[in-house]
Amino acid sequence: MLAGWLVDGGRLGGSETARNLTVDGVEVGGLSETELRTVVTGIAARRSGTPVAVRTETDRVDTTAADIGLTLDVEATVDDALDAGGAANPLEWLAGFWSDPTADLRWTLDREQAAAAVADLAASAPGSVALLELRDGVLVAAPDGPTLAVDIDRLVDDLLDQAAADAIDVTAALVPVDADS
């Protein structure tokens, strides 16, 4: 058993990823780090086209994950996959024959790109004006007077919460703001 753990567990030149490991439903068990990176890069390319719908009570923007700034962090995902399901000792290695470890996808989101992608939502909401800017995490109307704005912090959280879905559908919160603040 010890010899099997040493060889198969990667201690003596065996595979880099754990047996039966999956990433986003793709079997990556036994792959080298280079092979794993290639697979995860392919997943990132596929996921960049994930449809994203951002809506308010009165309007909707349809876009893609890439266009709203949501991207798969390939390096972080690869690192997590390399750490997942590893056997620290022969007993864990033996138990690995009956387990199916998974590695989660790791996401990043560009706030400014997200704000730009949904700028029309705030502009078309009742009581809003078309000139907008990002201030303290909220997309606000640039001219003076109270208006409605998209809460970008909440939108970013909602997008990241749904990032691994096959289709993302979030409701943007419109909050009253004073453009002079």
Side-chain angles (χ1 to χ4, degrees):
M1 182 167 73
L2 181 59
W5 171 66
L6 289 171
V7 173
D8 185 53
R11 306 299 182 275
L12 297 176
S15 69
E16 293 285 336
T17 58
R19 176 187 320 98
N20 302 329
L21 179 68
T22 60
V23 175
D24 197 35
V26 177
E27 173 65 45
V28 296
L31 296 183
S32 69
E33 183 174 347
T34 302
E35 293 167 326
L36 174 64
R37 186 169 280 100
T38 300
V39 170
V40 173
T41 299
I43 293 169
R46 178 175 48 84
R47 288 297 194 142
S48 69
T50 298
V52 176
V54 181
R55 64 182 81 236
T56 65
E57 292 178 17
T58 60
D59 206 357
R60 172 183 168 136
V61 170
D62 291 301
T63 187
T64 65
D67 290 341
I68 205 163
L70 183 64
T71 56
L72 181 64
D73 185 334
V74 172
E75 291 307 312
T77 301
V78 167
D79 288 345
D80 283 357
L82 291 171
D83 291 341
N89 61 57
L91 291 177
E92 286 180 9
W93 171 79
L94 188 59
F97 282 100
W98 295 275
S99 69
D100 295 315
T102 61
D104 292 329
L105 299 176
R106 300 295 175 199
W107 299 92
T108 62
L109 192 126
D110 183 313
R111 290 173 49 81
E112 283 71 30
Q113 191 172 342
V118 300
D120 289 342
L121 282 178
S124 66
S128 293
V129 293
L131 300 174
L132 303 169
E133 63 186 49
L134 186 61
R135 262 192 229 160
D136 299 322
V138 176
L139 195 62
V140 298
D144 22 308
T147 189
L148 296 175
V150 173
D151 183 340
I152 296 299
D153 289 333
R154 181 169 160 195
L155 178 64
V156 166
D157 289 344
D158 291 347
L159 288 168
L160 289 171
D161 285 346
Q162 292 190 35
D166 291 331
I168 299 169
D169 192 338
V170 296
T171 300
L174 294 177
V175 293
V177 296
D178 185 356
D180 293 330
S181 61

